[in-house]
């Protein structure tokens, strides 16, 4: 219940433009590694092979709110672990492309039907098969979208091949 209240307050503050980002130069590769390490125990417990892909070359710093970007990645990771069966792979990746940073969280679970892809970012939306889940309220992806858009970025959902979901975050600045 406390998480629901926190999420509702976050969205109310977002609607009123009452929250601010703490923008600073951030090493996204380190941030992604921290998220990876945080989820390693849960991945092992839930039998999800977890992987990470980082550029071999040094990448520039990203001017962003590192705590908020971590929050977004945690929302995506929590969803991947909650909505995929044991044995499903979950992957994190970072790349730099044409003055943008690209972060991805992907899995090879059941995926999200095309008809629901835009709806998943709406407040309180939950897919039909997750409506009995009492731990999720349908706010996480909406919060993630608010945070990424406040950074001047984009978040989108595509299918993984042959199954699964890929959430791609594009942040300006590289």
């Amino acid at each position: 219940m406390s998480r629901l209240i926190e999420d509702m307050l976050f969205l109310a503050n977002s609607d009123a433009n009452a929250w601010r980002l703490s923008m600073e130069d951030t090493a996204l590769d380190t941030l992604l590694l921290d998220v990876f390490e945080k989820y390693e125990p849960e991945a092992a417990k839930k039998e999800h092979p977890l992987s990470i892909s980082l550029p071999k070359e040094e990448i520039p710093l990203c001017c962003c709110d590192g705590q908020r970007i971590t929050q977004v990645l945690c929302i995506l990771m929590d969803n991947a672990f909650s909505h995929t069966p044991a044995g499903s792979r979950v992957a994190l990746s970072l790349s730099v492309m044409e003055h943008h940073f690209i972060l991805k969280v992907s899995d090879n679970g059941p995926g999200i039907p095309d008809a629901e892809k835009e709806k998943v970012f709406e407040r309180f939306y939950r897919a039909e098969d997750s409506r009995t889940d009492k731990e999720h309220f349908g706010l996480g992806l909406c919060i993630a979208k608010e945070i990424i858009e406040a950074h001047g970025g984009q978040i989108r959902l595509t299918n993984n091949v042959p199954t699964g979901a890929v959430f791609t975050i594009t942040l300006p600045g590289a």
Side-chain angles (χ1 to χ4, degrees), residues 46-135:
K46 293 189 174 186
E47 300 177 12
H48 288 290
L50 181 60
S51 65
I52 187 167
S53 175
L54 299 171
K56 292 188 187 324
E57 66 279 350
E58 187 174 333
I59 62 166
L61 297 175
C62 176
C63 185
C64 67
D65 185 329
Q67 286 185 317
R68 293 294 184 189
I69 299 302
T70 297
Q71 180 182 2
V72 169
L73 291 169
C74 288
I75 288 167
L76 298 176
M77 293 293 286
D78 287 341
N79 283 351
F81 286 137
S82 294
H83 299 293
T84 58
S88 297
R89 178 193 50 77
V90 176
L92 289 161
S93 69
L94 169 65
S95 59
V96 180
M97 196 179 287
E98 297 180 18
H99 308 294
H100 291 90
F101 297 97
I102 312 294
L103 299 111
K104 292 184 181 183
V105 176
S106 60
D107 65 65
N108 65 347
I112 299 169
D114 288 341
E116 294 182 26
K117 283 192 178 134
E118 288 303 315
K119 294 177 186 175
V120 298
F121 294 105
E122 295 174 6
R123 291 180 189 185
F124 300 109
Y125 181 79
R126 296 192 311 169
E128 198 62 42
D129 61 350
S130 68
R131 292 182 194 265
T132 57
D133 183 354
K134 303 296 184 210
E135 291 185 31

